[in-house]
Amino acid sequence: MARVAFILLCHKDPDAILNQVTRLTAAGDYVAIHFDASAAPADYRKITSALADNPNAIFVTRRVRCGWGEWSLVEATLRTLQAAFDAFAQATHFYMLSGDCMPIKSAHYAHRFLDAHDKDFIESFDFFDTDWIKTGLREERLIYRHYFNERSQKRRFYAAFALQKRLNITRAVPTGIQVMIGSQWWCLRRSSVAAVLAFTRQRPDVIRFFRTTWIPDETFFQTLVRHLVPGREIESRTLTFLMFSDYGMPVSFYNDHADLLLGQDALFARKISAEAHRLKQVLGALYASDRTDFTISNEGRTLFSFLTARGRSGRRFAPRFWEAEASIGAGRSLLIILCKKWHVAKRLTAAIRQSTDIPAFDYLFHEDDTPLPDMGGIERSLAKRGRHHRAFVRMLYDHAGTDRVVICLDTSSLDLLGDFHADRADVRILEIDCDLGDDYLIGHAIRVGLAGPQTSRDTFARLLPTIRRDMIHERDAIRDARFKNAARLRETATDAENAAALAVFLGVDDTTALALAQTPHLFVD
């Protein structure tokens, strides 16, 4: 059975630390504690005194004054890791933890999970070939030397940085090392920790390099583990669930996040709000239980992104200047089918292709694999098609040798719809009004990653009204725009009513329009 030595770096809230250490060691695991040397001495004396008789808890005596983004954080981690490695011979895994972390699974579940997965869990992405860094310095973290702290010594930090840039004083990565980057929250096996500690003694040049890199806690262990451990034995993810806002700030979890946290494919979560007292009680009791019946839906990050994005349209309501010149052209008809249920629109376009001579294309701005003719490469990706969408559609007319083309758009595409409608071409719209039942919304949530097959009924009960309102908002925004030449196909309408709308939209005779309206299983999910 796995036994974990937790590497706990902390600097405040001694009562919370005592609760955390007591909880972890009560489950048979170990804790090695580094209490920041710059923290209050009284707090340090309090926790050392309270844990003096706990054989499964030790303290780093040669403590470090830690600063965000500095080598001091790595140094404190290495000292704590070495102390844990020496003191706890029975430890099979070493898990990096902070005072803001709480378990979101039971200890029994965590031990069984680690027994079943003989791997190191640490994010490690190629530093120069990833978008892991969202803002701030990138390669400058490595190629320049950073002697000052950007937060506490901002003027010195940027003055030294500017001087090196002006004099072109750069440096290379140590020989044989590929720098990796990822979250500082990891879980390593004993053999991997032994290899890392030995490497730090064998390669002082690597240590010197990382001492003056910026934010080395996101690169040091990530680089060394990938260098020392076979790739097949590394799972590039963290077992600590955490999220960041659009502004790069960590998201805090509160009392009403309990169900969400338990459904994530992780063992711990960070950061738990200091005010979430009920959540801490629930998670503390959970860790001491024997519970293993967790339903893993893992929708936390996509759900957070979706919900926080509501209220931000994120849409562009005017064409870029280079697109304004790309007109489809007067004398051409662009027939746009708007439908949230893509399978319904695709059945209609298939029938149009079969019953008329009008070229009909599916969701060419939404799906990579939409069947398209060879157009010199512009058709190969959504990014290329969308970059100059009017020009792309004009090429469809030229390729087909026609003046009428049908395309499908999702109802979220108000920006595209408005841009096309501003063109000199004859633009007609056919909105397909479908029933948005719970079964469809559940399938939609799973398809777009807001939920998984194991998502609980309670989560869906909270999620579905938001999705439905979002879709209704898209529909209402389109109708409020009052586009000309707009018709509507309704799931609740008669075949004759829908045939009349199709005849106007496509400009076909009544017999053809009725046949299209009677397309078998048109509205079936």
Side-chain angles (χ1 to χ4, degrees):
M1 176 69 74
R3 297 190 71 179
V4 183
F6 291 97
I7 308 303
L8 179 59
L9 267 58
C10 46
H11 64 281
K12 62 179 181 179
D13 201 350
D15 292 329
I17 295 169
L18 290 173
N19 289 336
Q20 187 179 52
V21 173
T22 301
R23 178 171 53 248
L24 296 174
T25 56
D29 290 318
Y30 311 102
V31 181
I33 305 166
H34 179 278
F35 199 77
D36 198 319
S38 61
D43 289 345
Y44 181 62
R45 288 193 297 270
K46 180 176 182 177
I47 61 172
T48 53
S49 175
L51 295 173
D53 296 328
N54 189 331
N56 285 7
I58 63 169
F59 291 85
V60 176
T61 54
R62 292 179 57 241
R63 296 183 292 149
V64 180
R65 292 180 180 273
C66 297
W68 187 91
E70 293 181 5
W71 167 256
S72 55
L73 286 173
V74 177
E75 184 176 0
T77 305
L78 283 172
R79 291 186 181 185
T80 313
L81 197 57
Q82 184 70 66
F85 188 84
D86 294 339
F88 305 129
Q90 301 302 313
T92 59
H93 294 77
F94 296 78
Y95 196 121
M96 182 73 176
L97 211 60
S98 79
D100 296 322
C101 296
M102 286 286 289
I104 56 175
K105 300 291 186 294
S106 66
H108 187 56
Y109 178 98
H111 294 154
R112 289 177 56 181
F113 178 91
L114 294 174
D115 282 335
H117 299 80
D118 186 21
K119 291 186 175 182
D120 294 320
F121 290 87
I122 179 169
E123 281 189 350
S124 55
F125 306 102
D126 186 291
F127 186 95
F128 295 100
D129 190 28
T130 182
D131 62 350
W132 198 88
I133 300 173
K134 301 301 182 185
T135 60
L137 303 181
R138 295 177 184 270
E139 65 273 9
E140 294 90 349
R141 291 189 185 190
L142 305 181
I143 64 174
Y144 299 109
R145 296 169 176 83
H146 301 279
Y147 299 101
F148 305 102
N149 188 290
E150 192 266 349
R151 291 190 173 183
S152 60
Q153 300 168 295
K154 188 178 292 288
R155 293 182 64 180
R156 291 181 177 181
F157 179 91
Y158 284 107
F161 175 51
L163 179 63
Q164 292 177 80
K165 287 186 68 175
R166 186 165 63 251
L167 300 178
N168 196 27
I169 303 174
T170 60
R171 60 178 178 173
V173 173
T175 304
I177 295 296
Q178 179 184 7
V179 179
M180 311 296 286
I181 191 168
S183 169
Q184 64 268 51
W185 311 109
W186 38 254
C187 177
L188 304 179
R189 297 165 299 171
R190 187 175 191 90
S191 58
S192 301
V193 170
V196 168
L197 293 175
F199 184 88
T200 60
R201 294 187 290 269
Q202 297 161 2
R203 290 290 302 271
D205 60 317
V206 174
I207 303 300
R208 285 195 299 271
F209 174 81
F210 279 104
R211 277 185 180 277
T212 52
T213 61
W214 180 233
I215 319 182
D217 54 319
E218 294 179 350
T219 53
F220 181 79
F221 290 99
Q222 297 76 1
T223 299
L224 266 60
V225 172
R226 184 64 70 172
H227 179 73
L228 297 168
V229 178
R232 65 181 178 275
E233 298 180 20
I234 300 173
E235 190 159 332
S236 185
R237 71 180 181 102
T238 175
L239 293 180
T240 299
F241 178 68
L242 67 163
M243 298 190 297
F244 291 90
S245 70
D246 294 346
Y247 306 101
M249 299 300 293
V251 173
S252 293
F253 298 109
Y254 296 89
N255 291 332
D256 57 348
H257 287 127
D259 290 340
L260 180 144
L261 293 176
L262 267 59
Q264 305 312 307
D265 189 13
L267 304 182
F268 285 77
R270 181 180 190 275
K271 305 172 65 169
I272 307 301
S273 170
E275 301 172 359
H277 302 298
R278 181 162 55 84
L279 177 60
K280 290 184 176 182
Q281 290 176 355
V282 169
L283 297 180
L286 172 69
Y287 194 71
S289 72
D290 291 329
R291 182 179 170 185
T292 58
D293 60 332
F294 297 95
T295 301
I296 306 300
S297 56
N298 217 33
E299 78 280 8
R301 291 185 178 89
T302 51
L303 184 59
F304 174 81
S305 177
F306 172 77
L307 293 175
T308 54
R310 299 311 94 193
R312 305 176 188 175
S313 65
R315 299 186 179 98
R316 179 175 48 81
F317 289 94
R320 295 182 176 95
F321 71 90
W322 63 80
E323 295 171 329
E325 300 302 319
S327 173
I328 295 170
R332 287 174 168 170
S333 295
L334 178 61
L335 313 178
I336 302 174
I337 296 175
L338 286 172
C339 188
K340 196 67 182 181
K341 292 187 176 182
W342 293 6
H343 57 280
V344 175
K346 289 179 181 180
R347 289 189 192 121
L348 182 58
T349 55
I352 291 172
R353 289 190 293 268
Q354 184 176 3
S355 302
T356 75
D357 60 354
I358 306 173
F361 300 95
D362 297 336
Y363 288 85
L364 67 171
F365 294 112
H366 305 285
E367 286 189 303
D368 270 312
D369 57 355
T370 298
L372 291 168
D374 185 352
M375 300 168 65
I378 193 174
E379 80 288 351
R380 293 176 186 169
S381 73
L382 290 176
K384 289 181 179 180
R385 298 175 211 165
R387 191 171 296 123
H388 306 297
H389 43 268
R390 286 200 207 180
F392 176 68
V393 171
R394 188 177 68 243
M395 291 175 67
L396 289 176
Y397 287 93
D398 296 338
H399 186 276
T402 181
D403 289 331
R404 286 195 299 172
V405 164
V406 174
I407 67 170
C408 298
L409 292 181
D410 187 87
T411 54
S412 63
S413 303
L414 183 60
D415 56 341
L416 280 175
L417 189 60
D419 191 43
F420 283 132
H421 206 272
D423 195 88
R424 292 178 294 163
D426 172 29
V427 179
R428 304 181 201 174
I429 298 169
L430 179 70
E431 178 195 346
I432 303 182
D433 192 355
C434 301
D435 176 57
L436 301 176
D438 285 354
D439 289 342
Y440 166 74
L441 295 179
I442 289 172
H444 174 79
I446 293 173
R447 284 190 296 274
V448 301
L450 293 174
Q454 305 301 320
T455 297
S456 68
R457 291 180 177 271
D458 290 342
T459 299
F460 276 125
R462 294 191 298 269
L463 180 59
L464 295 192
T466 303
I467 298 177
R468 183 177 283 108
R469 284 193 297 269
D470 196 54
M471 292 183 178
I472 292 172
H473 167 75
E474 292 173 358
R475 181 200 66 191
D476 291 346
I478 289 170
R479 295 178 184 177
D480 290 345
R482 299 184 182 277
F483 293 114
K484 294 184 294 183
N485 301 325
R488 193 175 303 158
L489 214 63
R490 296 182 178 88
E491 185 170 356
T492 56
T494 65
D495 289 343
E497 290 170 332
N498 284 337
L502 284 164
V504 173
F505 174 66
L506 294 171
V508 296
D509 59 70
D510 293 342
T511 302
T512 302
L514 183 60
L516 292 172
Q518 294 174 336
T519 299
H521 315 297
L522 179 59
F523 292 100
V524 174
D525 287 336

